[in-house]
Amino acid sequence: MKSRLSNHSLKILGLFVGLLLLFYLSYSSLIFGVVDTSWQTAIDAYTNFNGTNEHIVIKEVRVPRVLNALAVGFSLGLAGALLQALTRNPVADVELFGLNAGAAFFIVCAVTFFSINSLTEFTWIAFAGAGFSGIVVYMLGSFGRDGLTPVKLTLAGAAITALSASARHGLLVINDKALDEVLFWLSGSVGGRKLEYLTTVLPYMIVAWIAAFVLARPIHTLMMGDDVAKGLGQRTLLVKLATGAVIVLLSGSSVAVAGPIGFVGLVTPHLARYLVGIDTRWVFLYSGMLGAMILLAADIGGRFIAMPAELPIGVMTAFVGVPFFIYVARKGLASS
């Protein structure tokens, strides 16, 4: 894919423009909504708090919402780029590959059978669910004489997603208490999430972000093919296992904070490769940045479409993600 930002200086400039857009979206998310505020009000909420409704909204609702959207969006965008590079599948995404669904199913099981409602425990359970689903999808996608293929991975992911969703809904139907406790979370949103939700999982996110960029060069080599990578002395199995662990950390921590949100990681790697080419370091950085932009924009849009109610952020991302998935899938079939 030809890079639109063909040299290093343009990539730096694109990064600067992206950061400006992130700042503007963060500002808009902080200021606009059912209760409109101002930048000065946001500053006063921390420097001269007076207990007014506007100050409470800023501190307790808007600021946690912005920070959650930035962290979760960056994580989902980066996870999508890692997953597409690892599987060499252009439609790979943590939602389509069943990682989000597995994490959500494990959490519903924990609430239903063990009455767990601690965010810290949710985090570890989400990691376990995402990891388990990833292993099952990989195994199913590897069956057959032709081994692991992008098509079989996609079908296996779709099957696990459907199975997890059906089982999850079945458990919630027979358990009203569990339904009340996790329904707001299953809708997929950064609204109504306290800042402590993020601070609990942020260390895992940061470790995963750093590890992803450390793995960027080995993954770039791996994308040339296993035989080439082994010929260059790479331990391909170790790189794959490490990349899988990073994807699970990113997916599980995002689900623990915001619930299952799909399609962000599907779209961002394609946009990133369109802008900066195939260099994995730049693709990862741009994918994370674009993921944060998409999630912030989707959150802002969800507030205004059905005001004073809000559309879940997962619905907003699906509006973009589903047509994009169809386009990429049709393009892939046409070129095969």
Side-chain angles (χ1 to χ4, degrees), residues 87 89 96-97 137-138 141-142 148-158:
T87 62
N89 186 341
L96 298 174
F97 270 43
V137 168
Y138 184 86
S142 301
L148 190 69
T149 66
V151 172
K152 288 199 297 183
L153 273 175
T154 303
L155 293 175

Side-chain angles (χ1 to χ4, degrees), residues 276-325:
V276 298
I278 61 172
D279 188 326
T280 49
R281 292 169 298 177
W282 285 103
V283 170
F284 289 176
L285 184 58
Y286 269 68
S287 292
M289 182 176 66
L290 290 166
M293 288 183 191
I294 289 174
L295 214 60
L296 277 170
D299 184 43
I300 295 168
R303 301 180 202 178
F304 289 96
I305 289 179
M307 189 178 284
E310 291 187 14
L311 283 180
I313 200 169
V315 175
M316 297 298 298
T317 57
F319 285 155
V320 176
V322 171
F324 193 88
F325 171 77

Side-chain angles (χ1 to χ4, degrees), residues 141-195:
S142 301
F143 286 157
R145 278 181 285 182
D146 52 347
L148 190 69
T149 66
V151 172
K152 288 199 297 183
L153 273 175
T154 303
L155 293 175
I160 294 301
T161 298
L163 179 62
S164 299
S166 298
R168 185 177 72 223
H169 293 153
L171 289 175
L172 292 176
V173 166
I174 62 176
N175 190 331
D176 292 338
K177 183 176 182 294
L179 178 62
D180 292 338
E181 290 183 5
V182 301
L183 184 60
F184 83 102
W185 174 83
L186 286 173
S187 62
S189 176
V190 292
R193 270 59 168 175
K194 298 179 180 179
L195 196 56

Side-chain angles (χ1 to χ4, degrees), residues 238-306:
L238 182 61
V239 173
K240 290 179 180 179
L241 290 175
T243 305
V246 171
I247 293 169
V248 168
L249 278 176
L250 292 170
S251 174
S253 56
S254 297
V255 171
V257 173
I261 297 174
F263 298 106
V264 174
L266 168 66
V267 175
T268 54
H270 291 274
L271 297 178
R273 287 191 292 268
Y274 178 82
L275 291 171
V276 298
I278 61 172
D279 188 326
T280 49
R281 292 169 298 177
W282 285 103
V283 170
F284 289 176
L285 184 58
Y286 269 68
S287 292
M289 182 176 66
L290 290 166
M293 288 183 191
I294 289 174
L295 214 60
L296 277 170
D299 184 43
I300 295 168
R303 301 180 202 178
F304 289 96
I305 289 179

Side-chain angles (χ1 to χ4, degrees), residues 43-303:
I43 295 174
D44 290 342
Y46 285 90
T47 60
N48 189 26
F49 183 75
N50 58 18
T52 61
N53 189 42
E54 289 80 5
H55 282 189
I56 293 173
V57 167
I58 290 290
K59 293 190 70 172
E60 302 297 328
V61 179
R62 298 280 173 82
V63 169
R65 192 166 191 159
V66 169
L67 295 177
N68 284 332
L70 288 170
V72 172
F74 190 90
S75 296
L76 290 176
L78 184 54
L82 284 163
L83 194 54
Q84 289 185 15
L86 179 64
T87 62
R88 300 172 207 150
N89 186 341
V91 296
D93 178 45
V94 293
E95 178 72 15
L96 298 174
F97 270 43
L99 301 184
N100 282 356
F105 174 64
F106 269 47
I107 287 179
V108 170
C109 286
V111 173
T112 301
F113 297 116
F114 304 104
S115 300
I116 293 174
N117 56 17
S118 165
L119 178 62
T120 302
E121 293 172 322
F122 272 9
T123 302
W124 290 106
I125 293 166
F127 289 156
F132 179 78
S133 295
I135 292 171
V136 172
V137 168
Y138 184 86
M139 291 174 60
L140 291 175
S142 301
F143 286 157
R145 278 181 285 182
D146 52 347
L148 190 69
T149 66
V151 172
K152 288 199 297 183
L153 273 175
T154 303
L155 293 175
I160 294 301
T161 298
L163 179 62
S164 299
S166 298
R168 185 177 72 223
H169 293 153
L171 289 175
L172 292 176
V173 166
I174 62 176
N175 190 331
D176 292 338
K177 183 176 182 294
L179 178 62
D180 292 338
E181 290 183 5
V182 301
L183 184 60
F184 83 102
W185 174 83
L186 286 173
S187 62
S189 176
V190 292
R193 270 59 168 175
K194 298 179 180 179
L195 196 56
E196 67 184 65
Y197 282 37
L198 177 61
T199 56
T200 299
V201 301
L202 188 59
Y204 307 110
M205 285 183 171
I206 292 174
V207 168
W209 296 343
I210 295 171
F213 289 101
V214 170
L215 288 167
R217 280 190 179 276
I219 291 173
H220 187 77
T221 303
L222 186 64
M223 291 173 64
M224 300 178 188
D226 285 9
D227 293 337
V228 174
K230 289 177 181 177
L232 294 172
Q234 184 182 96
R235 298 179 180 179
T236 56
L237 179 60
L238 182 61
V239 173
K240 290 179 180 179
L241 290 175
T243 305
V246 171
I247 293 169
V248 168
L249 278 176
L250 292 170
S251 174
S253 56
S254 297
V255 171
V257 173
I261 297 174
F263 298 106
V264 174
L266 168 66
V267 175
T268 54
H270 291 274
L271 297 178
R273 287 191 292 268
Y274 178 82
L275 291 171
V276 298
I278 61 172
D279 188 326
T280 49
R281 292 169 298 177
W282 285 103
V283 170
F284 289 176
L285 184 58
Y286 269 68
S287 292
M289 182 176 66
L290 290 166
M293 288 183 191
I294 289 174
L295 214 60
L296 277 170
D299 184 43
I300 295 168
R303 301 180 202 178

